[in-house]
Amino acid sequence: LFKPKFGAALQILKVEIGGDSQSTDGTESSHMHSPDDLDLKRGYEWWLLKEAKARNPNIKTYGLPWAFPGWVGNGTGSPFADGGALTSNYILQWLKGAREVYGVEIDYIGVWNERSSDATYVQTLKKTLSDAGFPKVQIVAKDGGSDICTDMAKDPAYKEAVDIIGLHYPSDYSDYTTCHSLDKPFW
């Protein structure tokens, strides 16, 4: 799958950040069942990231939450409650685990698979990552609809915090004028 010039020779590996919830193809365990429970040995994604890097050190890596444990968002059901401080720390702990335990640098981090995004959270996440020594991790938002482009066009700080526009099913849209006007790559 990962070795250059062999088989699939994948150039990017996108993995789920487990959130203790059924997310289409099974339940992926979270690295933090609660704010004071950190276990970086849960889930198979760590192993897969490490194996991909062993076969292709230049492969790009991408983590995307499909779900979040209930404590993220202070029990509101929204990971963006409190400006996203808890969620930013949750993502930071995952990135630290990849780096410190598995020796894998993550290139891209998503906001929430096929769900809403939040300008304040994305800005909080960007600052949290930069302050904690992860300034090169690029934020992909939102892994959903093209309305993210309209939102960023109206909010310069949001636009600044997003590195890559993520459209989950780009073939569903016919007009990319606003997305192109932002001068950002979009996937």
Side-chain angles (χ1 to χ4, degrees):
L1 287 174
F2 309 114
K3 191 172 178 182
K5 300 181 183 177
F6 289 88
L10 296 177
Q11 300 168 359
I12 187 168
L13 173 61
K14 181 178 177 180
V15 300
E16 177 178 352
I17 298 173
D20 291 338
S21 179
Q22 165 56 293
S23 57
T24 310
D25 199 20
T27 301
E28 286 299 318
S29 187
S30 172
H31 60 289
M32 295 177 76
H33 293 312
S34 66
D36 57 351
D37 170 56
L38 178 63
D39 184 341
L40 301 169
K41 302 290 184 186
R42 296 183 190 127
Y44 66 88
E45 287 86 357
W46 308 106
W47 172 84
L48 188 60
L49 286 162
K50 188 174 179 178
E51 293 298 316
K53 279 291 193 181
R55 287 159 178 77
N56 179 0
N58 296 318
I59 194 167
K60 298 294 183 181
T61 55
Y62 180 176
L64 177 64
W66 264 248
F68 295 95
W71 65 269
V72 175
N74 284 326
T76 65
S78 171
F80 309 132
D82 80 346
L86 280 174
T87 308
S88 293
N89 184 60
Y90 175 78
I91 295 299
L92 175 62
Q93 296 310 314
W94 188 85
L95 289 167
K96 283 182 175 180
R99 174 187 282 172
E100 296 169 7
V101 177
Y102 298 94
V104 175
E105 292 293 331
I106 302 298
D107 299 292
Y108 310 105
I109 199 76
V111 175
W112 194 5
N113 183 52
E114 296 186 83
R115 299 292 177 103
S116 61
S117 185
D118 180 89
T120 303
Y121 165 66
V122 173
Q123 293 167 56
T124 300
L125 178 62
K126 186 73 146 183
K127 182 175 181 353
T128 298
L129 298 183
S130 184
D131 290 352
F134 291 88
K136 293 182 182 179
V137 175
Q138 294 186 37
I139 296 176
V140 181
K142 75 178 182 173
D143 195 65
S146 64
D147 57 319
I148 185 73
C149 299
T150 305
D151 293 345
M152 288 193 307
K154 294 177 185 175
D155 185 342
Y158 193 13
K159 177 186 172 193
E160 179 67 26
V162 173
D163 298 293
I164 298 164
I165 300 163
L167 303 175
H168 196 80
Y169 295 110
S171 62
D172 289 350
Y173 315 106
S174 59
D175 184 359
Y176 294 102
T177 305
T178 304
C179 294
H180 283 296
S181 75
L182 297 170
D183 250 356
K184 294 185 179 287
F186 63 96
W187 300 345

